[in-house]
Amino acid sequence: MDEVKVVVAHSERATLRVGDVFLKVDADQARIDAEVEAMSRAPVPTPKVLWREPPVLAIAAVPGTTLGSLGGPSTGASASWAAAGAAIRKLHDAPLPPWSGRAGRTAAALAAELDAECESLVTNGLLPAELVTRNRQVAEAALRPWTPAFTHGDLQIAHVFVDGDEVTGIIDWSEAGQGDALYDLATFTLGHEEHLDDVLAGYGTDIDLDVIHAWWSLRSLLAVRWLVEHGFDPFAPGCEVDVLRSRM
């Protein structure tokens, strides 16, 4: 009998792996619905949906391997990273889904959330004030008008699978929808700045690097407290707090 492996679990959702099947348990049915719809629309390889029985979604494992993980060593040649960049561009150029995703929050909403989170980080002693202040300044560049794109919304490096110079699958689409394309690019390269040029070479268009840096800071600032409260460690080497320190 195949072993049941807990891939990730917290109070909002959990993902289990049994052999070549992933079981996603999510109390928010709308999030599961959005994930299935996004995968059906995305012009890139996605997992096959095996069955749905709310609150569980069963999907097949995708072939290939990831290029690494946040806080871990990166793998793959430049061509693999460029292939990921090309796949991300293909997604961003696709027809827009009719809903807004995680990357589609307005500048005003993000600014309010960010200011509240920065105050909390300092007040509760999670991060030094100077680190928070500097990264809040860097993050400001992300708070600007943008042209909507079809975005993944949670394009962590662990969610993109490759085989050589071919992307074989992109997983975890629950945050997908209309949004800022540079949010996806920044999320994918978070903690792996050394591969940004390779990704952008595959993406194939000029990018404002200040906005990428801003999203690194913004995403990390918003994540630290949530990660701590849900049993993760943003202080681990190469993770969110190190990303913030790199902007000092």
Side-chain angles (χ1 to χ4, degrees):
M1 185 175 190
D2 289 316
E3 179 185 7
V4 176
K5 178 182 178 182
V6 178
V7 179
V8 63
H10 49 76
S11 60
E12 295 179 4
R13 65 189 95 164
T15 301
L16 310 176
R17 180 169 188 169
V18 186
D20 288 332
V21 177
F22 285 87
L23 302 175
K24 303 189 71 172
V25 184
D26 196 324
D28 186 343
Q29 184 59 39
R31 197 154 45 201
I32 290 291
D33 292 342
E35 177 161 11
V36 173
E37 180 68 17
M39 289 192 292
S40 72
R41 291 172 176 267
V44 295
T46 62
K48 178 182 179 181
V49 175
L50 300 176
W51 51 266
R52 297 173 66 187
E53 187 66 39
V56 182
L57 170 66
I59 59 175
V62 298
T65 59
T66 67
L67 291 170
S69 61
L70 183 61
S74 60
T75 61
S78 294
S80 298
W81 290 85
I88 296 169
R89 177 64 183 275
K90 187 175 183 180
L91 173 66
H92 291 167
D93 286 345
L96 294 173
W99 69 90
S100 181
R102 179 71 174 171
R105 289 166 291 173
T106 67
L110 276 170
E113 182 181 359
L114 184 58
D115 288 340
E117 197 63 36
C118 287
E119 181 179 357
S120 176
L121 289 170
V122 174
T123 300
N124 293 309
L126 280 173
L127 293 176
E130 60 271 20
L131 182 65
V132 172
T133 299
R134 170 56 183 158
N135 278 277
R136 176 61 181 86
Q137 293 168 346
V138 173
E140 187 67 25
L143 307 177
R144 88 280 177 229
W146 39 267
T147 301
F150 188 162
T151 54
H152 180 279
D154 190 21
L155 201 63
Q156 302 174 43
I157 186 176
H159 290 165
V160 179
F161 289 74
V162 300
D163 183 2
D165 60 356
E166 178 186 1
V167 172
T168 55
I170 300 178
I171 65 172
D172 285 358
W173 291 82
S174 61
E175 308 288 356
Q178 294 187 28
D180 180 2
L182 298 197
Y183 180 90
D184 273 354
L185 288 169
T187 301
F188 183 65
T189 55
L190 185 75
H192 293 286
E193 186 170 354
E194 71 277 10
H195 289 292
L196 178 60
D197 287 345
D198 295 329
V199 173
L200 295 184
Y203 194 75
T205 189
D206 290 335
I207 292 297
D208 188 337
L209 294 181
D210 286 341
V211 176
I212 296 291
H213 298 160
W215 275 121
W216 286 341
S217 290
L218 198 157
R219 182 180 171 95
S220 297
L221 286 169
L222 292 182
V224 168
R225 181 175 58 85
W226 186 94
L227 291 168
V228 170
E229 291 176 352
H230 288 79
F232 301 100
D233 185 9
F235 293 88
C239 292
E240 285 80 3
V241 175
D242 272 356
V243 171
L244 296 172
R245 289 170 179 154
S246 71
R247 305 268 67 88
M248 297 297 287

